[in-house]
Amino acid sequence: MAEHARVYLRLAAASVRSTARRPAYLAARTVAAALIVAIEVAGVVLMLDRFGSIGGWRPPEVVLLFGLAFTAQGLALVFGDTLEADKMSELVRRGTFDQVLTRPASPLGWVVTSYVDTRFLGRMLAGAATVVWATDRAGVTWTPGRAGLAALAVACAAAIIFGVLLAAAGFTFVTVQASEAVNVFIYGGQYLASYPMQIYGSVLRFMFVWVVPLGLAIYVPALGVLGRQGPPGLPGWLAWLVAPVAGAFLALGGLAWRAGIRHYVGTGS
Amino acid sequence: MTNRVIEVEGLRKRFRTRRGPVEAVAGIDFQVRAGEFVGYAGPNGAGKSTTVKMMSGILLPSGGRVEVCGMVPYRERKRLARRMGVVFGQRTQLWWDLPLEESFELVGHLYRIPAAERVARLRRLEEVLALGPLLAVPVRSLSLGQRMRAELAAAVLPSPEVLFLDEPTIGLDVEAKAAVRDFLRELNRDEGTTVILTTHDLDDITRLCSRLMIIDHGRLIYDGSVEALRTAYGTTRVLVVDLAEDEPVQLAGAVLARAEGRRRWLEFARDEVSAAELIARLLAGHEVADLTLEEPDIEDIVRRIYRGETRPRR
């Protein structure tokens, strides 16, 4: 197990080194990603300032939710960005995924560690900075319990996003290969660089990158971090459900991924 | 224990497409013994790469049986991966943006090659493939020929029992092709590595392979030695004659295909007349300065087979 982990760590390190061969590029990408977070946060703050508060939430309290969400997205996408439909279909189309399957490694482990994107490290760090800033402005005193809740929120939201990405990637195998099989016979095996199809709509995407993780994994723990009461009727024990729900998303995503691979290899049909 | 590295029996692969099912591989049988060097040829879309993908565990067969190194590829994909090497000519297995030596190091870790062994083996490969000066160069900056040598080194670094090669010489210049072929020949001879070479380049096959398999429309239409292919399919041989004087030539059993100065190209059918016989007839009536016998060109034969113009002679 430890040996496996070391191999994947080496792959991840190699993929970061690959980008680091062009340090300016690496830095620019990371900083730009962090700046985008800063701009989005500034936008939220400016907008909320006009209202003073929303449903009794002061601007820094709302910003905390965003900060936790940014951190979680960054964490999930550092590894999970390649699982996006367009990138997966590119791997399949170029035949790279075939090669992955000839390696003595788990395909998921390989894909996830071979294309680490430091942009999302920037997003993650900027998200964490946002959390620190927001809690400071909201007058939160950090306790081990609150830090634990914040970490729980980030980890669980990241798990949910990652689970959804996994499921989408699994689905990509089915759709891309269907068209690929057609191409092989119509164009004699030449890889066609036709544009990858968009698998899930932008509305759905918004739902799963923002609404679902925020609502399921971030909102409830954030109440604890801020020392706020939830709306009446929201039971306090809900916080205990966050981890199992996130785990379920991850597990379902994993199943979908495996089903996708089985389909790709041809065991599924 | 058998010394059969690959066993394929009634192997099929059907793809579902929008136009209905397509049978890419329609029931093929063959065995490959340890140490064989097999050329696998066929026109585009004939089922070559589908077969290779089934042998390497990338695709599950729709029917039939395939075993490589005693394993069912798709079921024991990872275990088999440790014992087989794969090189796809048009794609890279190396880490594109990193210096070449880092790729070798990663391969070493991936295939759990002890460091000392890796260093020793790499030293040999570097020498044979002239990789020394390239080690510090990022893979993306290598020329195609250099990269292909590096791909081969990476693929054989873990000492695979079977090596699947897909168009390893495509796009290479004469010198680079020769380097790749020399290396493969030595690898097969010295280490007994079984090699399956998929290629369009029949030169690769005639120079390297002890055995040739041709697939077309999902079926094996030829499986035998390259020489046997010549005798089975190549009916016409050519006697090239340099006459002492410029004079017309008429020979029973031969057709004048071309004439240029005092040189004549005389085509004759292998099963109608022997070369010895024909030469005797020629010498009886003409003074000859020199002559050579041209065997049918393998490329020509295979092209005619693809086009369906030639049937094997019984």
Side-chain angles (χ1 to χ4, degrees):
Chain A
M1 197 58 221
E3 199 173 346
H4 276 95
R6 268 211 299 279
V7 165
Y8 295 123
L9 275 177
R10 282 185 201 282
L11 288 175
S15 93
V16 173
R17 276 205 307 281
S18 295
T19 343
R21 300 278 300 176
R22 291 162 286 174
Y25 177 70
L26 176 78
R29 272 168 80 81
T30 312
V31 169
L35 271 178
I36 287 171
V37 171
I39 290 166
E40 286 182 42
V41 167
V44 171
V45 170
L46 284 176
M47 196 180 72
L48 291 178
D49 251 2
R50 297 180 148 255
F51 297 100
S53 72
I54 291 180
W57 287 64
R58 290 175 295 127
E61 293 176 327
V62 177
V63 168
L64 172 66
L65 295 182
F66 277 91
L68 291 170
F70 280 127
T71 316
Q73 286 165 9
L75 179 61
L77 290 171
V78 166
F79 296 106
D81 185 47
T82 11
L83 299 172
E84 293 266 22
D86 55 343
K87 288 175 188 142
M88 277 312 296
S89 52
E90 182 75 11
L91 283 187
V92 171
R93 263 171 220 289
R94 286 184 165 191
T96 313
F97 196 75
D98 282 351
Q99 286 183 306
V100 172
L101 287 174
T102 64
R103 298 289 202 175
S106 122
L108 179 60
W110 184 283
V111 165
V112 156
T113 50
S114 292
Y115 306 93
V116 170
D117 195 333
T118 52
R119 253 188 323 159
F120 297 106
L121 218 56
R123 194 175 182 84
M124 198 176 116
L125 293 176
T130 308
V131 170
V132 170
W133 178 81
T135 46
D136 179 58
R137 294 294 295 267
V140 170
T141 29
W142 283 104
T143 63
R146 284 179 170 172
L149 277 173
L152 176 83
V154 168
C156 291
I160 290 173
I161 296 170
F162 196 80
V164 171
L165 284 169
L166 268 179
F171 189 54
T172 308
F173 285 123
V174 179
T175 49
V176 170
Q177 223 208 352
S179 60
E180 192 62 17
V182 174
N183 291 344
V184 165
F185 290 101
I186 297 178
Y187 305 100
Q190 277 174 332
Y191 289 94
L192 208 71
S194 67
Y195 213 71
M197 59 191 98
Q198 202 58 44
I199 306 296
Y200 44 106
S202 50
V203 175
L204 220 59
R205 200 193 140 75
F206 181 78
M207 282 286 296
F208 278 115
V209 173
W210 286 105
V211 181
V212 173
L214 266 171
L216 286 180
I218 290 177
Y219 176 71
V220 176
L223 289 176
V225 174
L226 294 167
R228 292 182 62 103
Q229 288 292 313
L234 192 76
W237 49 260
L238 215 56
W240 295 103
L241 271 185
V242 172
V245 166
F249 264 85
L250 209 51
L252 286 175
L255 286 178
W257 166 268
R258 293 185 67 155
I261 297 236
R262 273 205 303 278
H263 179 93
Y264 181 84
V265 174
T267 26
S269 52
Chain B
M1 278 305 287
T2 57
N3 66 344
R4 283 184 184 152
V5 174
I6 300 174
E7 285 193 65
V8 169
E9 213 183 284
L11 191 65
R12 290 171 182 281
K13 181 70 193 180
R14 210 171 296 118
F15 286 113
R16 282 198 221 140
T17 70
R18 277 173 224 160
R19 303 171 159 197
V22 178
E23 189 125 84
V25 174
I28 58 176
D29 305 84
F30 63 85
Q31 277 111 37
V32 177
R33 288 189 317 277
E36 274 194 279
F37 204 131
V38 182
Y40 195 35
N44 279 333
K48 283 188 311 259
S49 33
T50 307
T51 320
V52 173
K53 281 181 181 182
M54 287 192 278
M55 291 192 284
S56 50
I58 298 171
L59 281 181
L60 174 88
S62 320
R65 205 170 61 88
V66 53
E67 264 182 43
V68 178
C69 301
M71 287 178 262
V72 178
Y74 51 89
R75 215 177 284 151
E76 296 172 87
R77 209 180 42 73
K78 262 162 75 172
R79 216 155 70 82
L80 176 59
R82 296 196 179 282
R83 294 168 64 180
M84 100 195 160
V86 181
V87 176
F88 296 118
Q90 284 151 304
R91 306 171 209 139
T92 185
Q93 304 244 61
L94 305 168
W95 279 259
W96 197 242
D97 292 307
L98 296 179
L100 180 57
E101 55 192 341
E102 292 204 36
S103 285
F104 293 142
E105 208 174 301
L106 282 163
V107 166
H109 289 298
L110 206 61
Y111 289 80
R112 300 198 200 124
I113 309 169
E117 200 181 303
R118 186 190 76 220
V119 171
R121 188 159 170 77
L122 207 50
R123 198 171 300 140
R124 251 205 65 216
L125 290 170
E126 278 166 28
E127 199 181 311
V128 181
L129 290 165
L131 294 173
L134 308 177
L135 289 176
V137 180
V139 174
R140 67 179 136 79
S141 312
L142 298 178
S143 75
L144 188 58
Q146 293 170 334
R147 208 199 80 212
M148 193 46 66
R149 271 149 45 204
E151 301 273 359
L152 285 172
V156 306
L157 190 58
S159 310
E161 288 162 54
V162 191
L163 189 58
F164 292 107
L165 302 169
D166 186 12
E167 303 282 2
T169 57
I170 199 165
L172 299 188
D173 61 39
V174 181
E175 208 177 322
K177 265 185 194 178
V180 166
R181 285 170 184 160
D182 288 346
F183 174 73
L184 290 174
R185 196 178 297 117
E186 271 167 44
L187 178 81
N188 173 256
R189 192 189 57 207
D190 300 346
E191 300 188 13
T193 312
T194 310
V195 187
I196 310 292
L197 169 69
T198 310
T199 183
H200 281 110
D201 190 335
L202 289 157
D203 231 21
D204 281 350
I205 287 175
T206 49
R207 276 162 202 262
L208 291 171
C209 301
S210 51
R211 175 177 168 192
L212 167 64
M213 299 196 297
I214 302 178
I215 188 174
D216 197 14
H217 297 292
R219 291 174 200 282
L220 269 190
I221 56 171
Y222 182 79
D223 183 357
S225 72
V226 176
E227 273 320 303
L229 179 80
R230 278 208 181 99
T231 38
Y233 285 88
T235 47
T236 30
R237 304 160 92 184
V238 179
L239 190 64
V240 186
V241 184
D242 286 337
L243 298 169
E245 279 166 51
D246 196 352
E247 55 186 357
V249 177
Q250 275 255 323
L251 273 186
V255 175
L256 182 70
R258 218 172 120 199
E260 218 178 271
R262 280 182 291 179
R263 181 167 287 188
R264 303 286 182 274
W265 282 262
L266 298 162
E267 270 185 16
F268 64 103
R270 181 193 296 278
D271 48 356
E272 282 167 21
V273 60
S274 76
E277 172 107 40
L278 198 70
I279 292 168
R281 282 181 206 164
L282 176 76
L283 292 176
H286 303 276
E287 197 174 329
V288 173
D290 199 5
L291 58 78
T292 52
L293 184 63
E294 281 183 358
E295 288 297 331
D297 183 20
I298 252 335
E299 196 146 343
D300 229 45
I301 296 171
V302 171
R303 202 178 305 123
R304 291 212 308 272
I305 293 175
Y306 288 176
R307 282 201 233 112
E309 287 171 16
T310 309
R311 297 269 170 275
R313 296 173 324 128
R314 292 280 153 239

